[in-house]
Amino acid sequence: MSAPTNIACVKYWGKRSIALNTPINSSVSVTLDQADLKAVTTVTVSKTFKKDRLWLNGVEEDVTKSKRFIACVTGVKNLATEKLDSSGEVLVDKSEWKDYGVHVSSMNTFPTAAGLASSAAGYAALVACLAEVFGAIETYPGELSTIARQGSGSACRSLYGGFVAWRMGSDNDTGADSLAEQVFDENHWPKLKAIILVVSDEKKDTSSTEGMSTSVSTSKLLGYRAKEVVEGRMRGIEKAYGEKDFESFGMITMQDSNQFHATCLDTYPPIFYMNDISKSIIKLIHTYNKWKGKIAAAYTFDAGPNAVIYHLEEEGEELLALMLMYFPDDKFLGSLVGSEYVNNEEEWRKAKAWVLDEELLRMCDAKGRSRGVGGDVKKIYVTRSGPGPIVLSDEHSLLDKETGENCYTKPADGNGVALGVFGIGLIGFGLMALSGAGIGLIGNAGGGSKK
Amino acid sequence: MSAPTNIACVKYWGKRSIALNTPINSSVSVTLDQADLKAVTTVTVSKTFKKDRLWLNGVEEDVTKSKRFIACVTGVKNLATEKLDSSGEVLVDKSEWKDYGVHVSSMNTFPTAAGLASSAAGYAALVACLAEVFGAIETYPGELSTIARQGSGSACRSLYGGFVAWRMGSDNDTGADSLAEQVFDENHWPKLKAIILVVSDEKKDTSSTEGMSTSVSTSKLLGYRAKEVVEGRMRGIEKAYGEKDFESFGMITMQDSNQFHATCLDTYPPIFYMNDISKSIIKLIHTYNKWKGKIAAAYTFDAGPNAVIYHLEEEGEELLALMLMYFPDDKFLGSLVGSEYVNNEEEWRKAKAWVLDEELLRMCDAKGRSRGVGGDVKKIYVTRSGPGPIVLSDEHSLLDKETGENCYTKPADGNGVALGVFGIGLIGFGLMALSGAGIGLIGNAGGGSKK
């Protein structure tokens, strides 16, 4: 299956319980379109698998050390139902699942651990995939998000499309009421778009888990934020999204991004996720809004330097043109075709043709950013809101159909990340139909066959 | 006179009353030694001066627009006493001062408006100078700091040497109880030293006054900080300074610097004073402390990217050597003598000879900062705590003795700032003894002569 990434407008930062992975405040995010960014995961189960195994971006990880992975597998197995074939015959009985080993291969079509919610997409794909395999999707939909949450907090929000809230809940014994909820689906506000500027594809200095833990124990501002600020923002932004009120939506989004990074800075030792390039993007957006005379674009930064800029459709070409003016590719004037730098060639062409207002450029120049200096932004995605996890066709797989071993290799493209190398033909698939080898088979498209 | 700069350990950010220039929280700072950084101001008064005039770094300013300047001149004039000569004869009667015009010339020996508290030193020098001229120093010592505060809030702390608190006060009608107080004098903790890294000598993007105003109206975290966090830190750091407990002093200093910048980031639009170079200094200091196994160095950043690193004498050479390793001058290996980059040639020589521990270097390298890459830091000062304003000899003056016109020109040294160009011979002086021209003369050394 594939699962989307999501970018929070009201941020999650800080765990109430590390054991349960419950948050100190609610959060809400936009699920992004998987046409542009996604995690692709293949899960295969078999009685012949001696142990659970996991490959991330083609490299095997030691799952015995990963509490998160184990929590997700165990959690979904506990919800498993019996598996029937199309004629209603029992393929696998509920009681048999415990004897099945699990193989997982997962990859991202975008930089891992660089603040683009790769773990959210990854764990959402894992849990959705496991649920599909173990027949847990329809039976217990609510509980899935509490399991995904144990993989990576924000993963629970990637289980739904559109505008998704993660309600913090109040049950501190089980965390059962700390779950994701779709506030509006992906068709509610079609004019809402996003531009993502990948500032860095390097792995971040401080992991979210480590950072949150230090923040909770050292930042006085974080506790205050969680208790006194977030709930009002949640109400405000859900109302704004419902009414398609971009100015209110954008204002809260920018303020909450800044406040999240402020609490990181108030942490001891301080945590920095944004860098000087991030700051220059922030300045450009405020300058653009000033020139527009309204909030027409709103940035947000997760735990990394990359910017996500929400905007309405009508500003899309102009904003992309502005970004290309101040953050061109370093090889932009050379042989590159636009789609190597911007994921959508048509949008790139339109933006290139756009003539930016002279006064706007003068105002942006005054903020100290130079035009035409490339190399600070490595990739631009233009995207929008999209649906939750999708079951993919089994044409291609990240696990070998015969052996259940990983068959995906991360391309060595010089940048160290797989950007845009997965075209339409190669999307991986959800559950693998293993044939031969006397294994219980779990099919993807309409169930597998029992041998 | 000359007046010192001061660098706060618990920061002032936010005005309770803009009219009175009272703060939303108390603050405390170390007054730095004027041997290294100072503002030098000359004040001359005369009945022949048609209007008040002010030159800053050699350039005349329009004082009719400067509420702050007017508040200081008016404030000190209101405290004026009669001026007597050495024989007790009245040179100027109290009632006559209103007819005197004031000429002021002021310069800094360090970058202006780049977060090194240039306005604090400047307004402290102005008010101390005016008080000397108008005979207001001994009569009303307490009120002086309430006047300096109206020039620039933190200027009140530069009226004293050593460790100085600005008590926020509670009188919202007059602000009379919002004043500076010396907590410990400059001789209390002689082992406490400071290294200043001048990261940028450019004027900052957002002035402190403008920034504070926006922060107070938009940052929810700032209000919480002022109400719930600062008082505890004030008590803690005053105790630590009293007990010469560097670890507690350093911890609070770093935490409060970070929290101040966090509230700037929580402002809408956000304010950034630190840049990526500032951040790499922070990382180096935390790495150094980790290697030391204790807090042996503590950074703090005012409203600009420059770092002030407090430390004890025993770490001085090692810390300076570490800074020179990761922040060498871009011409450091060339023809420069050390004192052009580090203000103290002897300290520079000792640091150059220091052999840094290999494990420390390895740990610092791992934080991503490259050794031997110059150009990020423009000047390093090694300094310590020093006294309050000093009356200087009248050998040199920033105002012409005959005409009362400015006679100081800022040297065009290519960097746009006067760094270290004022040697021991050229220190300006406090009040000018004008001779000739039938003017009421106010002498500096033992009083002037009346014609």
Side-chain angles (χ1 to χ4, degrees):
Chain A
M1 291 181 81
S2 74
T5 185
N6 72 76
I7 300 294
C9 297
V10 173
K11 303 290 188 190
Y12 155 51
W13 195 252
K15 298 181 200 296
R16 193 161 89 240
S17 159
I18 289 171
L20 299 169
N21 220 21
T22 47
I24 59 170
N25 59 258
S26 297
S27 55
V28 67
S29 55
V30 175
T31 295
L32 298 183
D33 194 344
Q34 294 169 63
D36 304 307
L37 300 105
K38 63 175 169 282
V40 176
T41 298
T42 305
V43 169
T44 306
V45 298
S46 168
K47 279 187 173 173
T48 66
F49 294 164
K50 302 291 178 219
K51 56 174 187 173
D52 295 345
R53 294 175 73 185
L54 169 68
W55 292 265
L56 288 182
N57 292 311
V59 179
E60 185 160 10
E61 305 274 317
D62 180 2
V63 292
T64 59
K65 287 181 187 165
S66 175
K67 282 184 192 166
R68 298 153 155 241
F69 177 82
I70 295 165
C72 289
V73 171
T74 311
V76 180
K77 265 193 181 174
N78 287 341
L79 302 179
T81 57
E82 59 186 10
K83 191 80 184 175
L84 308 177
D85 69 9
S86 51
S87 64
E89 196 191 341
V90 175
L91 282 170
V92 185
D93 187 72
K94 254 172 96 164
S95 63
E96 289 179 76
W97 286 123
K98 64 177 185 338
D99 306 321
Y100 277 68
V102 177
H103 281 194
V104 178
S105 180
S106 188
M107 54 77 63
N108 304 311
T109 63
F110 56 95
T112 299
L116 282 177
S118 55
S119 64
Y123 278 104
L126 172 66
V127 169
C129 225
L130 288 165
E132 189 80 18
V133 173
F134 292 119
I137 274 196
E138 285 172 41
T139 330
Y140 304 90
E143 282 189 66
L144 276 189
S145 85
T146 74
I147 295 167
R149 194 195 71 211
Q150 290 170 61
S152 173
S154 54
C156 67
R157 296 189 311 243
S158 275
L159 288 174
Y160 297 92
F163 198 56
V164 184
W166 175 11
R167 308 296 177 194
M168 63 181 287
S170 58
D171 182 341
N172 289 328
D173 296 323
T174 67
D177 62 351
S178 185
L179 37 78
E181 174 185 302
Q182 187 179 59
V183 185
F184 298 100
D185 74 19
E186 60 272 24
N187 302 312
H188 173 76
W189 197 358
K191 284 194 157 193
L192 186 72
K193 309 285 178 187
I195 296 173
I196 303 175
L197 303 180
V198 180
V199 169
S200 168
D201 51 15
E202 285 170 28
K203 270 197 138 189
K204 57 200 179 196
D205 216 33
T206 311
S207 75
S208 297
T209 301
E210 183 194 339
M212 281 186 202
S213 165
T214 319
S215 289
V216 167
S217 59
T218 64
S219 170
K220 295 189 176 180
L221 301 186
L222 178 62
Y224 174 75
R225 158 183 165 70
K227 277 202 200 80
E228 304 294 337
V229 181
V230 168
E231 281 306 318
R233 287 188 175 168
M234 288 291 290
R235 285 192 298 275
I237 203 163
E238 288 178 42
K239 181 168 180 285
Y241 201 97
E243 294 169 356
K244 299 169 196 169
D245 167 6
F246 187 83
E247 292 213 60
S248 301
F249 168 82
M251 176 87 168
I252 295 171
T253 295
M254 289 188 279
Q255 286 182 321
D256 206 70
S257 173
N258 292 332
Q259 189 168 87
F260 152 54
H261 291 278
T263 64
C264 288
L265 180 46
D266 188 50
T267 299
Y268 183 85
I271 303 164
F272 300 99
Y273 288 123
M274 296 195 292
N275 61 23
D276 284 353
I277 302 161
S278 314
K279 282 187 232 168
S280 64
I281 295 168
I282 288 178
K283 285 183 186 179
L284 278 186
I285 296 302
H286 282 292
T287 306
Y288 178 72
N289 288 339
K290 193 172 182 183
W291 174 74
K292 277 276 181 185
K294 65 177 181 183
I295 295 173
Y299 54 81
T300 186
F301 295 79
D302 271 8
N306 306 315
V308 176
I309 302 165
Y310 291 114
H311 63 90
L312 294 179
E313 197 165 34
E314 47 264 44
E315 268 84 41
E317 289 163 39
E318 186 172 64
L319 261 173
L320 183 57
L322 188 68
M323 293 302 123
L324 290 174
M325 175 67 82
Y326 288 94
F327 300 101
D329 187 78
D330 51 350
K331 294 162 283 184
F332 196 57
L333 301 169
S335 60
L336 263 192
V337 293
S339 61
E340 286 183 38
Y341 187 51
V342 178
N343 68 320
N344 183 313
E345 177 117 9
E346 191 195 337
E347 297 289 337
W348 175 75
R349 284 194 194 287
K350 286 194 287 184
K352 285 293 286 179
W354 187 274
V355 180
L356 287 159
D357 180 88
E358 276 305 319
E359 172 65 8
L360 169 62
L361 291 174
R362 198 195 54 73
M363 287 168 69
C364 291
D365 289 349
K367 284 289 164 188
R369 177 81 203 169
S370 302
R371 301 185 205 177
V373 177
D376 285 346
V377 169
K378 291 177 178 59
K379 174 90 185 176
I380 297 179
Y381 294 91
V382 294
T383 187
R384 65 192 66 214
S385 182
I390 297 171
V391 176
L392 302 171
S393 74
D394 56 356
E395 189 182 347
H396 299 280
S397 169
L398 304 181
L399 293 171
D400 184 87
K401 295 187 185 193
E402 300 300 321
T403 63
E405 298 275 317
N406 174 66
C407 62
Y408 168 74
T409 311
K410 189 165 128 182
D413 64 349
N415 291 322
V417 290
L419 290 176
V421 294
F422 281 74
I424 294 164
L426 176 55
I427 42 178
F429 69 139
L431 338 170
M432 216 171 104
L434 272 180
S435 53
I439 307 172
L441 302 175
I442 314 306
N444 175 26
S449 61
K450 194 176 185 180
K451 290 225 168 164
Chain B
M1 292 181 80
S2 74
T5 184
N6 71 77
I7 300 294
C9 297
V10 173
K11 303 289 189 191
Y12 154 52
W13 194 253
K15 299 180 198 298
R16 194 161 88 239
S17 159
I18 289 170
L20 299 169
N21 219 23
T22 48
I24 59 170
N25 59 259
S26 296
S27 55
V28 67
S29 55
V30 175
T31 295
L32 299 182
D33 195 343
Q34 295 168 64
D36 304 307
L37 300 105
K38 62 175 170 283
V40 176
T41 297
T42 305
V43 169
T44 306
V45 297
S46 168
K47 277 187 173 172
T48 67
F49 293 165
K50 301 291 179 219
K51 57 175 187 173
D52 294 346
R53 295 175 72 185
L54 168 68
W55 291 265
L56 288 182
N57 291 312
V59 178
E60 185 160 9
E61 304 275 316
D62 181 2
V63 291
T64 59
K65 287 182 188 166
S66 174
K67 282 184 192 168
R68 301 153 151 240
F69 178 83
I70 295 166
C72 289
V73 172
T74 310
V76 180
K77 263 192 182 176
N78 287 341
L79 302 177
T81 57
E82 61 187 7
K83 190 81 182 175
L84 308 177
D85 69 10
S86 52
S87 64
E89 196 193 338
V90 174
L91 281 169
V92 184
D93 187 73
K94 255 172 95 163
S95 64
E96 287 179 78
W97 286 124
K98 66 177 184 335
D99 305 323
Y100 277 67
V102 177
H103 281 194
V104 178
S105 179
S106 188
M107 54 78 63
N108 303 312
T109 63
F110 57 96
T112 299
L116 282 177
S118 56
S119 64
Y123 277 103
L126 172 67
V127 168
C129 225
L130 288 165
E132 188 83 17
V133 173
F134 291 119
I137 275 195
E138 286 173 40
T139 331
Y140 304 92
E143 281 189 66
L144 276 190
S145 85
T146 73
I147 294 167
R149 194 194 74 211
Q150 291 171 60
S152 172
S154 54
C156 67
R157 296 189 311 244
S158 274
L159 287 174
Y160 297 92
F163 198 55
V164 184
W166 174 12
R167 309 294 179 196
M168 63 180 288
S170 57
D171 181 341
N172 290 327
D173 296 323
T174 66
D177 62 350
S178 183
L179 37 78
E181 175 185 301
Q182 188 179 60
V183 185
F184 297 101
D185 73 19
E186 60 271 25
N187 302 312
H188 172 75
W189 196 358
K191 284 194 157 194
L192 186 72
K193 309 284 178 188
I195 296 173
I196 302 175
L197 303 179
V198 180
V199 169
S200 167
D201 51 15
E202 285 170 29
K203 271 196 134 191
K204 57 200 179 199
D205 218 33
T206 310
S207 76
S208 297
T209 301
E210 184 194 336
M212 282 186 202
S213 165
T214 319
S215 289
V216 167
S217 59
T218 63
S219 170
K220 294 188 177 181
L221 301 186
L222 178 62
Y224 174 75
R225 157 183 165 70
K227 278 201 199 82
E228 304 295 337
V229 181
V230 169
E231 281 305 317
R233 289 189 174 167
M234 288 291 290
R235 285 191 299 273
I237 204 165
E238 288 178 42
K239 181 167 179 288
Y241 201 98
E243 294 168 357
K244 299 169 196 168
D245 166 5
F246 187 83
E247 291 213 61
S248 302
F249 168 81
M251 176 87 166
I252 296 173
T253 295
M254 289 187 280
Q255 286 182 321
D256 207 70
S257 174
N258 292 333
Q259 188 169 87
F260 152 53
H261 291 278
T263 63
C264 289
L265 180 47
D266 188 50
T267 299
Y268 183 87
I271 303 165
F272 300 100
Y273 287 124
M274 296 196 292
N275 62 23
D276 283 353
I277 302 160
S278 313
K279 283 186 232 167
S280 64
I281 296 168
I282 287 177
K283 285 183 186 177
L284 278 186
I285 296 302
H286 282 291
T287 307
Y288 179 72
N289 287 340
K290 193 172 182 184
W291 174 75
K292 276 274 178 185
K294 65 177 181 182
I295 295 173
Y299 55 80
T300 186
F301 295 80
D302 271 8
N306 306 313
V308 175
I309 302 165
Y310 291 114
H311 62 90
L312 293 178
E313 196 166 33
E314 46 264 42
E315 269 83 42
E317 287 162 41
E318 186 173 65
L319 261 173
L320 183 57
L322 188 68
M323 293 302 123
L324 290 175
M325 175 67 82
Y326 288 94
F327 300 100
D329 187 77
D330 52 349
K331 293 162 285 184
F332 195 56
L333 301 169
S335 60
L336 263 193
V337 293
S339 61
E340 285 182 40
Y341 188 51
V342 178
N343 68 319
N344 184 314
E345 177 117 10
E346 192 195 335
E347 296 290 336
W348 174 76
R349 284 192 194 288
K350 286 195 287 184
K352 284 293 285 178
W354 187 274
V355 179
L356 287 160
D357 180 87
E358 275 305 319
E359 172 65 8
L360 169 61
L361 291 174
R362 198 195 55 73
M363 288 169 69
C364 291
D365 289 349
K367 284 288 163 188
R369 176 82 202 168
S370 301
R371 301 184 203 177
V373 177
D376 285 345
V377 168
K378 293 179 177 57
K379 173 90 187 177
I380 296 179
Y381 294 91
V382 293
T383 186
R384 65 192 67 213
S385 181
I390 296 171
V391 176
L392 302 171
S393 74
D394 55 356
E395 191 182 346
H396 299 280
S397 169
L398 304 180
L399 292 170
D400 184 85
K401 295 188 185 191
E402 301 300 320
T403 64
E405 298 274 317
N406 173 66
C407 61
Y408 168 74
T409 310
K410 189 165 127 181
D413 63 351
N415 291 321
V417 289
L419 290 176
V421 294
F422 281 74
I424 294 163
L426 176 57
I427 42 176
F429 69 138
L431 338 170
M432 215 172 104
L434 273 181
S435 52
I439 307 173
L441 301 174
I442 314 305
N444 175 26
S449 61
K450 191 175 186 180
K451 292 229 165 159

